[in-house]
Amino acid sequence: MTHSSSRYLARTARCVAAAGLLAASLVFAAHAEAAPGKTLVFCSEGSPAGFDPGQHTTSTDFDASTYTVYNELVQFRRGTLDLEPALATSWDVSTDQRTYTFHLRHGVKFQTTAWFKPTRDFNADDVLFTFNRMLHADDPFRTAYPVSFPYFSDLGFDKNIDSIEKVDDYTVRFHLKQPDVILVRNLAMSFASILSAEYAAQLSRTHREADINQLPVGTGPFVFRSYQKDALIRFDANPDYWRPDDVKLAHLIFAITPDPAARIQKLASGECQVSAFPRPADVEVVKRNPALKLVSGVGFNVGFVGYNTQHPPLDRVEVRRALDMSIDKPAILNAVFAGNASIATNPMPPSQWSYNEKLKDAPFDPAKAKALLAQAGFPNGFDITLWAMPVQRPYNPNAQLMAQLLQQDWAKIGVRAKIVSYEWGEYNRRAKAGGEHDVILYGWSGDNGDPDNWLGALLGCDAIHGSNVSKWCDPTFDALIAKARSTSDVATRTALYRQAQEIFKQQVPFTPIAHSIVSLPESKRVKGLLLSPLGSHRFDGVSLD
């Protein structure tokens, strides 16, 4: 990066921070003066790592980008896993499942901001830019701004997409090397949000490519205005949104509040109208407050303990089995989830089709676990690091407490665990890129309703530098997942996925802990906010009394 562009970024950051501070003072010092029914404040759980969905993988990032600023070619209808058209109005699939043709929506406008004014509507060039920068390492934009796209590679898109063809301005065709029956569902995921090629070209002319992750431009319901890290994100309604009836708020504020108790206090005082990820104790507080309401449902999620299978002695299956069978899961559910969860056995929830109900956990048996370690050559145990998330997640309301309970369980078999934590963005970056951890607390909320999203994204060989935090690559398991992607027969896919789950259970790359109940606390003034099976927070279609 040039010195001039560095100065520009610094100047931009100062301006954005100043705008954020001004917005914060307006919202929190005098929030009651906001126009009634026009400004919604969401007490979010953490700061996003950035605003380019292709570069990130967590709902914290996607809430602040995908579901506000952007759209995908296809999307999930709010509150469901049902597909509906978005920037593509329709699509065709070849009989061999290797060619997908998308017919694009006309008249969609990109947002106008202080840093970009579009001169044309959305078209095929934007689709090609969005995916070619992920697909080709030598893409000019990616060469100038070298970053990774974890979800794209986790799903094997970098290997399986042969080319993306612009048929005409409003038709795009994906050519695949191997059949992929879930490509459309995967393109409804957040990483596939469509960016502006015109904006990218403007950034390239001034050598400011990194701004695409800090000053976003999309076609979505809200326009990004400013961001102050660890404090506030400000959005305004998009006056040109292609679904105008879905924009019912004039302003949307993310008040970044990592402390769950503080989030509930702000909700009760009216400083925010929606709060993310309450602790079990907070649920009762909300229920007792006549000004608040709670939407709850069984979560489409799994919280787990991941073993870095590339770190000795965790590369040995008997060691992983010993750790697994010495975890007191019922005690964790009582202490961490206060009973608002069910014990997890498999790497996916029971509501996911192809779930293998025949699999059972190894009995909780610390004595047998200690004997296993002795047989493996560790009669006196060993030392490991245990990473614990610093924030609440839909699949784990208190990772620090869970880590302490695991530490106590493993001490009984001689394993000495040192608890480690980082800021949430750094935690994710290190876990996925570097794999520094020995054992890590992590989890997953389903992204598209397909079994591949659990087994492929969390356990596939393509994902070991991304969401596969266990760094586990089993060729037999991987071949089953690849075969399941290539057939549309549900019975065949189900049998393959159930077989893959058996391998998972034998090899124990991670220990599933819980499928948690998800709750969404909100003011009774909020209308139209739906609980998402994806663990996300969407504010299109939401209004305030």
Side-chain angles (χ1 to χ4, degrees), residues 91-343:
W91 49 92
D92 307 311
V93 186
S94 64
T95 54
D96 64 0
Q97 306 281 344
R98 290 176 55 188
T99 304
Y100 287 75
T101 303
F102 293 88
H103 305 282
L104 307 183
R105 190 176 300 276
H106 291 246
V108 176
K109 299 187 181 302
F110 278 98
Q111 298 153 356
T112 297
T113 67
W115 47 90
F116 176 68
K117 184 176 182 180
T119 64
R120 62 163 177 81
D121 290 349
F122 156 78
N123 65 28
D125 291 335
D126 304 304
V127 180
L128 263 64
F129 164 73
T130 296
F131 292 105
N132 278 335
R133 71 190 179 119
M134 301 191 223
L135 181 62
H136 300 298
D138 59 353
D139 180 87
F141 194 88
R142 184 167 169 183
T143 302
Y145 178 44
V147 294
S148 62
F149 299 100
Y151 242 136
F152 191 79
S153 57
D154 284 359
L155 297 170
F157 276 17
D158 55 335
K159 296 182 177 69
N160 197 34
I161 295 178
D162 188 45
S163 64
I164 306 171
E165 174 191 2
K166 175 183 175 180
V167 179
D168 58 43
D169 280 349
Y170 289 94
T171 311
V172 172
R173 188 166 290 146
F174 285 70
H175 298 279
L176 307 182
K177 297 174 184 176
Q178 300 294 331
D180 185 351
V181 299
I182 53 175
L183 181 119
V184 176
R185 279 197 165 270
N186 283 336
L187 291 182
M189 290 163 56
S190 296
F191 82 95
S193 299
I194 303 299
L195 279 62
S196 165
E198 185 183 16
Y199 177 46
Q202 173 185 300
L203 294 177
S204 291
R205 285 194 295 271
T206 51
H207 308 291
R208 295 186 287 111
E209 288 85 358
D211 276 11
I212 207 161
N213 192 37
Q214 301 301 323
L215 300 172
V217 172
T219 59
F222 297 97
V223 182
F224 174 90
R225 293 304 187 203
S226 62
Y227 171 44
Q228 182 188 3
K229 184 175 173 59
D230 299 329
L232 181 140
I233 314 170
R234 181 179 175 230
F235 305 92
D236 291 339
N238 180 1
D240 300 317
Y241 191 45
W242 55 275
R243 293 177 68 165
D245 291 343
D246 283 356
V247 183
K248 302 178 184 296
L249 300 168
H251 311 288
L252 174 64
I253 307 292
F254 280 35
I256 299 166
T257 314
D259 182 357
R263 290 199 296 270
I264 294 301
Q265 289 170 3
K266 288 181 178 181
L267 183 67
S269 68
E271 291 183 56
C272 59
Q273 289 76 50
V274 181
S275 176
F277 308 134
R279 300 170 303 180
D282 299 326
V283 169
E284 297 306 315
V285 173
V286 172
K287 288 179 178 178
R288 292 195 298 267
N289 190 323
L292 305 179
K293 60 182 176 179
L294 191 76
V295 181
S296 297
V298 177
F300 195 52
N301 61 45
V302 61
F304 61 82
V305 181
Y307 308 114
N308 190 334
T309 59
Q310 296 183 0
H311 282 197
L314 301 170
D315 57 340
R316 301 177 61 172
V317 66
E318 60 266 42
V319 171
R320 300 195 298 270
R321 287 175 181 165
L323 293 173
D324 173 84
M325 69 173 58
S326 60
I327 297 174
D328 188 347
K329 289 187 184 181
I332 290 176
L333 258 67
N334 287 332
V336 176
F337 297 89
N340 292 306
S342 59
I343 287 179

Side-chain angles (χ1 to χ4, degrees), residues 498-510:
R498 286 180 174 168
Q499 188 178 346
Q501 289 169 75
E502 291 175 3
I503 295 173
F504 163 85
K505 207 63 183 171
Q506 293 163 4
Q507 295 297 312
V508 202
F510 65 70

